[in-house]
């Protein structure tokens, strides 16, 4: 019986790891969507131009397609405004209703449409993977309810994330919606990381620490989250600059950015310093972990790619890579924290 349980646990561990990797792939694809300006490649959601398979030519669309989808967006935003007013966000609701730029429809571009559509297909695949993860976790409903309910909560959050994604489209990539979308992705990464560690005992290390190093790691996590939020602000500013330059003259994008970029760039020193201190503490403890070594490498690469974008004219391929590295770094922090506190957070 125990052997069957171990087999099922390892099966869940392997599949949850696959799901986590898939989430990272979705984040990479999402970064490609943003770097290519394809976020509004599909003006509606979940369909694309009213079809499950998007068009490849403007001839497949009605002549007044911009007006049609602009009107649909207006109706959806009116409903969203009612929800926001009910929750007390009156100013935000007013901004959504009165900002005419939200209803501006982009010119049809088949390449951008299909980039956005692939992003949605990958999102659907993630949803299916999460459903399978929940199914595999049902076998532990009696023996490990934390595992089951965390898997179920992850599915609920992914569904909610999909709804937020529809609002991102409806509000024409309104800044705060994009930031919320990114933060929810980090929460999903954290929950999946917990599932992976809990169902893969081999990933644990022979140490349990509740000393200051764990609190320092929490500081590192908070600092990285703040930096990622700053990064979303920079991305939003870049989107605005890129659109004004018709997505050309990439070398001019950084020069036209404001305080968002300066804050993001300067805060990278804080990220580097706190992680350097963490590295010193762990090395002093003679802590040997592949996760720790990977985290150090990812943080360094994140800073290198960010610097490269600033000094080499915002190469398109580096934008999604930079975003991916930041989120991978956060996931590795979660793994490391659970390794350091395995007895506290991974016991039934």
């Amino acid at each position: 019986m125990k052997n069957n349980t171990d087999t099922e646990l390892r099966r869940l561990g392997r599949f949850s790891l696959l799901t986590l990797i898939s989430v990272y792939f979705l984040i990479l694809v999402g970064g490609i969507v943003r770097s290519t300006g394809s976020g509004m490649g599909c003006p509606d959601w979940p369909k694309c131009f009213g079809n499950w398979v998007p068009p490849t030519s403007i001839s497949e669309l009605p002549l007044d397609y911009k007006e049609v989808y602009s009107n649909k967006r207006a109706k959806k935003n009116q409903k969203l405004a009612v929800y926001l007013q009910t929750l007390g966000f009156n100013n935000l609701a007013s901004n959504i209703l009165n900002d005419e730029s939200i209803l501006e429809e982009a010119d049809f571009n088949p390449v951008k449409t299909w980039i956005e559509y692939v992003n949605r297909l990958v999102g659907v695949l993630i949803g299916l993977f999460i459903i399978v993860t929940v199914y595999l976790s049902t076998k532990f409903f009696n023996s490990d309810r934390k595992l089951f309910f965390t898997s179920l909560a992850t599915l609920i959050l992914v569904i909610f994330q999909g709804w937020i994604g529809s609002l991102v489209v409806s509000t024409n990539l309104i800044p705060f919606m994009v930031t919320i979308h990114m933060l929810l992705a980090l929460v999903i990464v954290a929950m999946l990381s917990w599932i992976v560690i809990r169902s893969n005992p081999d990933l644990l290390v022979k140490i349990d620490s509740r000393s200051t190093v764990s609190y320092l790691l929490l500081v590192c996590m908070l600092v990285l989250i703040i930096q990622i939020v700053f990064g979303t602000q920079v991305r939003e500013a870049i989107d605005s600059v890129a659109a004004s330059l018709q997505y050309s003259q990439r070398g001019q994008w950084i020069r036209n950015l404001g305080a968002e970029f300066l804050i993001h760039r300067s805060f990278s020193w804080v990220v580097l310093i706190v992680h350097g201190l963490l590295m010193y503490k762990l090395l002093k403890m003679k802590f040997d972990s592949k996760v720790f070594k990977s985290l150090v490498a990812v943080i360094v690469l994140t800073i290198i790619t960010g610097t490269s974008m600033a000094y080499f004219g915002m190469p398109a391929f580096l934008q999604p890579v930079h975003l991916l590295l930041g989120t991978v770094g956060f996931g590795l922090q979660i793994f490391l924290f659970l390794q350091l506190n395995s007895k506290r957070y991974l016991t039934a």
Side-chain angles (χ1 to χ4, degrees):
M1 183 68 178
K2 185 177 180 181
N3 289 336
N4 289 337
T5 301
D6 290 343
T7 300
E8 291 171 349
L9 187 62
R10 293 184 184 281
R11 184 181 295 117
L12 173 60
R14 289 193 296 269
F15 196 84
S16 59
L17 179 59
L18 173 63
T19 303
L20 178 60
I21 293 172
S22 300
V23 169
Y24 281 128
F25 180 68
L26 178 60
I27 291 172
L28 176 63
V29 174
I32 294 173
V33 169
R34 294 301 300 277
S35 66
T36 57
S38 303
M40 294 305 296
C42 293
D44 48 345
W45 190 96
K47 294 184 178 181
C48 185
F49 287 103
N51 298 303
W52 292 113
V53 178
T56 56
S57 171
I58 194 172
S59 61
E60 300 176 46
L61 299 175
L63 295 177
D64 61 343
Y65 74 92
K66 287 188 177 182
E67 181 180 351
V68 170
Y69 291 106
S70 179
N71 290 337
K72 288 183 178 181
R73 183 179 296 122
K75 292 179 180 179
K76 190 168 185 177
N77 287 344
Q78 287 172 358
K79 294 180 180 179
L80 173 61
V82 172
Y83 296 143
L84 291 174
Q85 288 171 346
T86 302
L87 295 173
F89 298 102
N90 295 321
N91 290 336
L92 181 57
S94 178
N95 291 337
I96 291 176
L97 291 176
N98 297 318
D99 187 352
E100 295 182 359
S101 65
I102 290 179
L103 302 180
E104 292 179 4
E105 195 63 42
D107 293 334
F108 174 75
N109 183 310
V111 175
K112 292 182 178 181
T113 292
W114 277 89
I115 289 175
E116 168 59 15
Y117 190 65
V118 169
N119 178 46
R120 296 184 183 188
L121 290 179
V122 176
V124 171
L125 182 63
I126 298 300
L128 294 175
F129 280 4
I130 295 292
I131 290 173
V132 174
T133 300
V134 174
Y135 168 73
L136 293 175
S137 71
T138 57
K139 301 180 185 298
F140 303 95
F141 180 78
N142 293 322
S143 60
D144 191 346
R145 293 196 176 184
K146 287 182 180 179
L147 191 56
F148 168 74
F149 283 112
T150 302
S151 300
L152 182 60
T154 304
L155 174 60
I156 294 172
L157 188 58
V158 166
I159 294 172
F160 181 70
Q161 176 78 320
W163 178 68
I164 291 294
S166 73
L167 297 183
V168 169
V169 174
S170 176
T171 56
N172 201 351
L173 307 180
I174 193 170
F176 90 97
M177 282 294 186
V178 175
T179 300
I180 291 175
H181 202 51
M182 184 70 249
L183 290 176
L184 285 176
L186 294 181
V187 176
I188 291 171
V189 164
M191 296 174 74
L192 280 173
S193 297
W194 185 89
I195 295 171
V196 170
I197 287 285
R198 192 175 181 89
S199 53
N200 283 278
D202 294 340
L203 293 177
L204 297 178
V205 292
K206 302 294 184 179
I207 187 171
D208 180 66
S209 173
R210 300 183 189 180
S211 63
T212 55
V213 71
S214 292
Y215 295 107
L216 178 58
L217 179 54
L218 286 174
V219 172
C220 289
M221 292 166 64
L222 177 61
V223 165
L224 187 58
I225 290 173
I226 292 172
Q227 181 70 329
I228 290 174
V229 171
F230 284 155
T232 63
Q233 305 303 309
V234 173
R235 283 172 58 193
E236 290 157 10
I238 288 175
D239 288 345
S240 178
V241 171
S244 67
L245 296 174
Q246 298 182 336
Y247 297 94
S248 61
Q249 305 177 54
R250 300 185 71 92
Q252 301 296 320
W253 293 6
I254 292 292
R255 298 177 186 176
N256 287 278
L257 294 178
E260 302 95 341
F261 172 69
L262 296 177
I263 294 172
H264 184 59
R265 183 181 64 181
S266 300
F267 199 74
S268 63
W269 284 105
V270 179
V271 175
L272 186 60
I273 290 170
V274 295
H275 282 85
L277 183 58
L278 176 67
M279 181 174 67
Y280 169 76
K281 290 284 188 181
L282 290 177
L283 288 175
K284 193 175 180 180
M285 290 171 54
K286 296 182 180 181
F287 179 75
D288 186 24
S289 166
K290 291 181 180 179
V291 173
F292 164 56
K293 294 175 182 177
S294 299
L295 175 60
V296 173
V298 166
I299 293 298
V300 172
L301 286 174
T302 303
I303 294 175
I304 290 175
T305 53
T307 303
S308 299
M309 285 194 294
Y311 288 98
F312 296 102
M314 291 291 296
F317 75 94
L318 278 183
Q319 284 182 271
V321 171
H322 184 64
L323 172 64
L324 176 65
L325 286 171
T327 53
V328 168
F330 176 74
L332 290 172
Q333 288 177 332
I334 296 293
F335 268 59
L336 183 58
F337 183 80
L338 292 175
Q339 284 187 334
L340 288 169
N341 300 274
S342 59
K343 291 182 180 179
R344 183 177 183 184
Y345 293 102
L346 294 173
T347 53

